């Protein structure tokens, strides 16, 4: 029969694999079982990946997948402390610190669904704005907004005017629409954006834009280059929200440019070049670029014959500073990324190597605002806060990036004995590379801990395991206590065991 040989080989392989796994099981093996459910609904999460590591050695003990009902079990673990990681596309990763050993009911692991924002973009006559893009915007370092990272944060408007932002982790988001003749329009307005809160699984609907096309203007001018024949990239960005350019064009070889269809407003006009071509992030620049910027207020007339002067960029000096155990936990040098907060429609991002307590010079930067981030710090070292470099005033600039050893939480439950509880921890700013929710099961003395935490703001809560089978890990702030975790030193917390619902209390 065709295929029977292949089928027989697969069965033989599975039989041998089963034998190997069975022989690998320790003689003191304990049964561990869990069920993966949606945090917001309690519905099972099918095919979630489960990775179990030995907390002491860091070695993977089991790597498998939950079934269609979200159930998973294994008897390949010896008694001890383990870190359980559960992953599924469309959900926030969950990490659980648990002790395996002794009889207990299957562990309920609640995965937090990523959120969405939906709406329509129409003109005043009810026609869809099909050339527009919609962006999820997060709060930026130094004020203003930045485009949120990740797949689903920037989406096109479809032929019916609909859009759907998706894969949004817990946090607060503004929504903006961008189009050539609109500029950047933040909902409901640029001066006072509305922020939509995602705690897990929300689908904010009806965030609609009605775009009333008014009088549009054009901007004509020239980039005054030191010699003819050079081409420059020119970008027009809203003065209120410069993270996304309203319009982009290239000059002629004589330096002239024209931008049409500009709505009234206040803008920054950026010029940078010589441009050697274009990439996904904007114009590719020559080795020694020149920059210029000017402010434009477009109110009731076209802007004509404006001249933008360009020159060499500004220099900056950056250094790393260690605090709270950072000197021992952090490497002596680190890569530092320099990312423009303003959209110059050109590749301005830089990467340099910086050392502790020694200034590193970054030459020829555009006269704008930048966010600085230390990378390649390892798992025991973190940047403690946002670092911003402001070169808009001209001249040289200086910035310090402060790093520290990883933080930790050491806690104990009070006010209850022999009560099985779980403690849940959520980073306030998960978009900063901490996109995971964590849970710990306290020991018999009510003690628990979280290690390897990035310094910053967290929300923490405790609940009875019996309640956790029906109650969300992440809902609102009513049951979440906010605390700041510094680097290098443990944060000590005491959390009371929650009082059970009245119907669960024993009669006096």
């Amino acid at each position: 029969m065709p295929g029977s040989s292949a089928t027989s080989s697969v069965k033989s392989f599975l039989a041998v694999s089963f034998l190997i796994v069975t022989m690998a099981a320790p003689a003191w093996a304990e049964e561990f079982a869990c069920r993966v459910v949606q945090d917001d609904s309690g519905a099972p999460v099918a095919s979630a990946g489960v990775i179990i590591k030995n907390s002491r050695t860091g070695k993977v003990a089991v790597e498998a997948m939950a079934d269609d009902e979200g159930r998973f079990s294994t008897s390949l673990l010896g008694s001890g402390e383990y870190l359980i990681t559960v992953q599924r596309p469309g959900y926030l990763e969950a990490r659980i610190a648990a002790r395996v050993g002794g009889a207990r009911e299957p562990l309920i692991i609640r995965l937090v669904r990523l959120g969405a924002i939906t709406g329509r973009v129409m003109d005043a006559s009810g026609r869809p704005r099909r050339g527009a893009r919609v962006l999820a915007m997060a709060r930026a370092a130094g004020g203003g907004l930045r485009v949120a990272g990740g797949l689903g944060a920037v989406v096109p408007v479809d032929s019916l005017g609909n859009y759907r932002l998706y894969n949004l982790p817990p946090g607060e988001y503004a929504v903006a629409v961008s189009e050539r003749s609109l500029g950047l329009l933040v909902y409901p307005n640029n001066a006072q954006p509305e922020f939509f809160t995602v705690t897990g699984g929300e689908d904010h609907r009806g965030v609609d834009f009605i775009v009333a096309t008014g009088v549009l203007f054009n901007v004509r001018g020239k980039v005054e280059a030191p010699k003819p024949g050079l081409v420059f990239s020119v970008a027009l960005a809203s003065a209120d929200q410069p993270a996304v350019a309203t319009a982009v064009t290239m000059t002629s070889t004589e330096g002239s440019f024209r931008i049409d269809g500009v709505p009234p407003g206040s803008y920054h006009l950026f010029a940078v070049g010589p441009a050697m071509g274009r990439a996904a992030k904007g114009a590719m620049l020559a080795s020694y670029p020149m920059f210029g910027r000017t402010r434009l207020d477009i109110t009731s007339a076209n802007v004509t014959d404006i001249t933008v002067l360009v020159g060499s960029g500004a220099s900056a000096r950056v250094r790393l500073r260690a605090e709270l155990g950072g000197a021992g936990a952090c490497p002596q040098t680190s890569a530092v990324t320099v990312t423009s907060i303003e959209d110059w429609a050109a590749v301005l991002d830089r990467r340099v190597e910086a050392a502790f307590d020694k200034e590193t010079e970054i030459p020829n930067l555009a006269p704008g605002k930048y966010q600085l981030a230390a990378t390649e710090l390892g798992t025991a070292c973190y940047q403690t806060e946002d670092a911003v470099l402001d070169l808009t005033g001209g001249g040289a600039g200086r910035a310090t990036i402060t790093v520290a050893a990883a933080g930790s939480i050491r806690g104990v439950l009070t006010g209850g004995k022999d009560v099985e509880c779980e403690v849940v921890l959520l980073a306030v700013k998960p978009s900063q590379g901490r996109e995971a929710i964590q849970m710990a099961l306290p020991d018999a003395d009510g003690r628990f801990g979280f290690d390897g935490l990035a310094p910053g703001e967290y929300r923490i809560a405790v609940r009875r395991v019996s309640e956790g089978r029906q109650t969300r890990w992440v809902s609102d702030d009513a049951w979440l206590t906010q605390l700041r975790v510094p680097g290098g030193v443990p944060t000590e917390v005491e959390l009371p065991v929650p009082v059970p619902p009245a119907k669960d209390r024993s009669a006096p």
Side-chain angles (χ1 to χ4, degrees):
M1 179 177 177
S4 60
S5 177
T7 303
S8 176
S9 298
V10 170
K11 288 182 178 179
S12 299
F13 171 76
L14 292 175
V16 172
S17 299
F18 177 77
L19 177 61
I20 293 173
V21 169
T22 303
M23 292 174 64
W28 59 92
E30 298 280 353
E31 180 72 22
F32 170 80
C34 67
R35 188 162 187 250
V36 186
V37 301
Q38 292 183 9
D39 186 45
D40 55 317
S41 67
V45 177
S47 305
V50 181
I51 303 172
I52 304 178
K53 292 183 179 181
N54 186 295
S55 295
R56 182 176 58 83
T57 65
K59 293 184 177 180
V60 175
V62 173
E63 187 169 0
M65 185 178 291
D67 66 16
D68 290 345
E69 293 298 319
R71 293 187 175 91
F72 166 77
S73 64
T74 181
S75 54
L76 299 180
L77 303 175
S79 298
E81 302 289 339
Y82 291 89
L83 179 63
I84 305 161
T85 302
V86 182
Q87 302 167 324
R88 183 74 165 82
Y91 294 83
L92 206 62
E93 181 179 282
R95 300 173 190 156
I96 300 92
R99 179 172 181 80
V100 173
R104 63 165 297 146
E105 293 185 14
L107 182 65
I108 299 297
I109 300 174
R110 310 187 72 89
L111 287 190
V112 176
R113 282 199 301 146
L114 301 176
I117 302 173
T118 61
R120 306 183 77 191
V121 182
M122 315 293 285
D123 65 17
S125 301
R127 294 187 296 266
R129 305 289 297 209
R130 287 174 289 191
R133 297 180 304 158
V134 181
L135 310 92
M137 310 288 286
R139 300 180 194 271
L145 300 173
R146 62 174 177 81
V147 181
L151 179 68
V154 179
V155 296
V157 174
D158 69 15
S159 60
L160 299 178
N162 300 310
Y163 73 88
R164 178 179 174 80
L165 300 166
Y166 59 97
N167 275 353
L168 303 177
E172 293 185 330
Y173 300 91
V175 182
V177 59
S178 174
E179 188 193 358
R180 179 66 174 266
S181 60
L182 296 178
L184 183 73
L185 178 61
V186 182
Y187 183 89
N189 59 71
N190 286 16
Q192 295 180 312
E194 180 177 345
F195 285 88
F196 298 89
T197 300
V198 173
T199 61
E202 290 88 353
D203 191 345
H204 294 283
R205 298 175 180 271
V207 184
D208 298 334
F209 291 84
I210 304 298
V211 180
T213 304
V215 178
L216 301 177
F217 302 96
N218 61 62
V219 178
R220 291 185 299 165
K222 182 178 182 180
V223 174
E224 195 68 55
K227 62 180 182 179
L230 302 180
V231 175
F232 282 75
S233 174
V234 178
L236 192 67
S238 166
D240 291 327
Q241 305 296 343
V244 180
T246 295
V248 178
T249 191
M250 304 292 284
T251 68
S252 67
T253 53
E254 290 77 30
S256 62
F257 67 90
R258 174 174 177 142
I259 300 174
D260 295 316
V262 179
S266 294
Y267 297 91
H268 295 301
L269 184 64
F270 303 128
V272 56
M276 310 303 292
R278 297 200 68 84
K281 290 188 176 181
M284 302 290 293
L285 305 178
S287 300
Y288 298 96
M290 293 171 284
F291 310 93
R293 66 182 295 160
T294 189
R295 178 73 175 256
L296 285 182
D297 290 311
I298 303 174
T299 55
S300 58
N302 296 326
V303 176
T304 59
D305 300 325
I306 186 170
T307 299
V308 183
L309 301 177
V310 294
S312 298
S315 64
R317 293 183 179 272
V318 177
R319 72 184 182 98
L320 299 175
R321 181 170 65 87
E323 63 176 22
L324 296 175
C330 300
Q332 293 302 304
T333 61
S334 172
V336 172
T337 58
V338 184
T339 306
S340 178
I341 294 175
E342 303 168 316
D343 187 1
W344 286 61
V347 181
L348 300 182
D349 298 351
R350 304 277 282 276
R351 184 180 183 275
V352 298
E353 290 291 327
F356 283 104
D357 297 322
K358 180 181 178 181
E359 288 190 329
T360 298
E361 183 175 5
I362 310 174
N364 209 23
L365 291 168
K369 290 184 178 181
Y370 299 87
Q371 182 169 359
L372 307 179
T375 61
E376 301 176 4
L377 292 174
T379 58
C381 178
Y382 290 93
Q383 184 172 333
T384 61
E385 58 188 13
D386 292 329
V388 176
L389 176 65
D390 189 347
L391 300 176
T392 56
R398 278 184 166 84
T400 298
I401 302 173
T402 304
V403 297
S408 62
I409 293 175
R410 293 289 176 266
V412 63
L413 303 184
T414 62
K417 293 182 179 180
D418 302 324
V419 180
E420 194 175 11
C421 293
E422 59 190 23
V423 182
V424 180
L425 184 72
L426 176 69
V428 172
K429 295 182 179 180
S431 57
Q432 296 181 343
R434 305 195 292 269
E435 297 187 5
I437 187 169
Q438 301 186 59
M439 191 263 276
L441 298 175
D443 63 18
D445 296 321
R447 299 188 179 279
F448 63 91
F450 297 95
D451 293 311
L453 300 177
E457 301 290 332
Y458 289 84
R459 294 189 178 103
I460 192 169
V462 59
R463 63 182 57 222
R464 293 170 179 255
V465 169
S466 58
E467 296 174 15
R469 293 179 176 276
Q470 294 82 31
T471 309
R472 294 181 62 179
W473 276 0
V474 180
S475 53
D476 52 36
D477 290 339
W479 66 278
L480 291 162
T481 300
Q482 188 157 320
L483 72 159
R484 180 167 185 82
V485 175
V489 293
T491 299
E492 305 285 345
V493 295
E494 289 187 356
L495 298 174
V497 173
V499 177
K503 62 180 181 179
D504 294 338
R505 299 179 196 168
S506 301

